[in-house]
Amino acid sequence: MATVILVANAVVTVLLAWMTLNHFQLVEYDPMDIAVNQFQRLVFYSQLDGSVRAPPETFMTVPEIIQSRGYPVEIHHVTTEDGYILELHRIPGSVNEPVNTESTHKKKPVFLQHGIFATDFVWAVGPSNGSLAYILADHGYDVWMGNSRGNTYSRKHKTLDPDSEKYWDFTWEELGQYDLPNSIDYVLKVTGQQKVSYVGYSLGCAIFYVGANLRPELNDKIEVMIGLAPTSTVQVLDNAFKLVAPLSNPLKYVMQWTKTGLFLPSDGLSSRFLRFVCNSSQIGSATCQTINFYVFGYSETTDLSLVHVLVGHYPAGGSPKTMLQFFDNYNSGGNFTRFDYGESGNLERYGTAEAPKYQMELVTAPVYLLWSKTDPVSTPRDIEWLAMRLGNLKGSVEVNAPVFSHGDFFMSTQASKLVYEPLLKMLPPP
């Protein structure tokens, strides 16, 4: 096994570089063509030595996964004020529970929001007793899962073509100002409730803080906000991103010059190649686990089968500016700011030479934070910065484990015990 790991580490650097270069692309995408067809499975998911089998959920959509577990699922669409069409997935009841409209309306809704370049798969691919979506449904909550503009499920617009550069001209700003508030308003309208509980993971937390800044009325619609591995400012990075972040400005020029739109597409050549590597052999599987550690951090409890499912769903595509804004916060020395368009661009857009900072005291909804001291993306120093500034912090809870990575919040075999059980105590009763 040691030899396998050494070989895996040897190829990771080259593979990551090749993947990055090949992810800068505009890819034609048909939103109806989500499932991988048989030919693609044969070419990209064949096993070289027959020792590795990708779980079936690698190739399934999130609604298909939910249905396969025996849970009811609904697909909803929300059109934002700026024309993006988002797909929400709802689990209105538990396994084999009759869906009764009257009883469903009495349930308290919980809205789950994924992180950067992901989809709501993060809440639904683990074991049914170890995935937050199913746990919440089994406890009597009305579960809603959001999908940010540009990902696999939310790649439509009223007028803009996803093949156009203009479609991809968005940052955290639009995710917080439009996607999140419009989705919350839709859930409240459908359920007839006055408030919704909100659970964000990673960037799913940051866009909530953005929304609370730009749309202060959002605070009054939230019963409680729970941040898992929350990101806001980025003072410290201890993963592969810290090597790329200093290149933020050159990357901006490259993307402008190449007119890059869709970034990190799940149907791109490099994503397909990565799936082939992961499912090809024991060495390929170890290579993907190593890449997982490079990105999400080292873990002792990662469900290895979920690593294969992960590469079937992640990355799911998005705007390059969402990643560049993350890098800008890191390069600024740990500020939490609006997107930096450069001095002239900032003056035109904001009226100031520097990009304005978000004000955490404007986040007045009740907030709990759940974090890990060994998370390389949402680090203890950044959690401390955030906790000191939030306008209505109710609690900051460290995961009770000596090692727990950024990815462990949805991929750990111990996530239910270490994260979801404490989370249930923070939620209002169903």
Side-chain angles (χ1 to χ4, degrees), residues 266-280:
S266 61
D267 51 355
L269 176 61
S270 51
S271 291
R272 294 176 177 181
F273 179 70
L274 179 61
R275 294 180 195 125
F276 164 71
V277 170
C278 291
N279 301 324
S280 65

Side-chain angles (χ1 to χ4, degrees), residues 17-92:
W18 184 86
M19 287 173 58
T20 301
L21 290 173
N22 279 278
H23 271 118
F24 289 89
Q25 54 189 297
L26 270 170
V27 176
E28 184 175 355
Y29 177 82
D30 180 1
M32 297 299 294
D33 185 24
I34 296 177
V36 181
N37 64 39
Q38 191 62 36
F39 174 75
Q40 289 175 318
R41 293 189 188 192
L42 177 65
V43 174
F44 297 109
Y45 300 99
S46 58
Q47 289 79 41
L48 294 182
D49 64 7
S51 62
V52 178
R53 295 286 177 179
E57 293 184 356
T58 303
F59 315 106
M60 298 166 66
T61 66
V62 170
E64 288 172 344
I65 293 171
I66 295 171
Q67 283 184 318
S68 72
R69 305 291 184 90
Y71 288 81
V73 61
E74 297 175 4
I75 298 175
H76 295 255
H77 293 97
V78 177
T79 301
T80 66
E81 295 167 50
D82 57 346
Y84 287 80
I85 301 174
L86 314 178
E87 183 167 304
L88 309 184
H89 298 147
R90 180 190 193 187
I91 306 178

Side-chain angles (χ1 to χ4, degrees), residues 84 86 148-152 154-155 167-168 170 262 316-319:
Y84 287 80
L86 314 178
S148 296
R149 62 181 65 190
N151 80 8
T152 305
S154 298
R155 206 167 293 171
Y167 175 93
W168 301 99
F170 58 83
L262 173 59
S319 161

Side-chain angles (χ1 to χ4, degrees), residues 29 45 53 96 181-182 193 214 240 247 249-250 253 256 264 276 282 344-345 358 379 395 403 410 415 420 426:
Y29 177 82
Y45 300 99
R53 295 286 177 179
N96 299 322
N182 292 168
Q193 299 286 340
L214 303 180
L247 304 176
N249 285 331
Y253 290 117
Q256 291 173 359
L264 297 175
F276 164 71
Q282 292 295 336
S344 60
Y358 295 112
T379 64
V403 178
F410 68 95
Y420 305 148
M426 301 171 183

Side-chain angles (χ1 to χ4, degrees), residues 24 247-260:
F24 289 89
L247 304 176
S248 176
N249 285 331
L251 285 174
K252 288 180 182 178
Y253 290 117
V254 169
M255 290 178 179
Q256 291 173 359
W257 178 60
T258 59
K259 297 186 181 298
T260 299

Side-chain angles (χ1 to χ4, degrees), residues 78 86 88 111 146-147 178-188:
V78 177
L86 314 178
L88 309 184
F111 191 91
N147 281 292
Y178 300 116
D179 288 18
L180 181 54
N182 292 168
S183 295
I184 295 296
D185 285 345
Y186 178 87
V187 171
L188 294 178

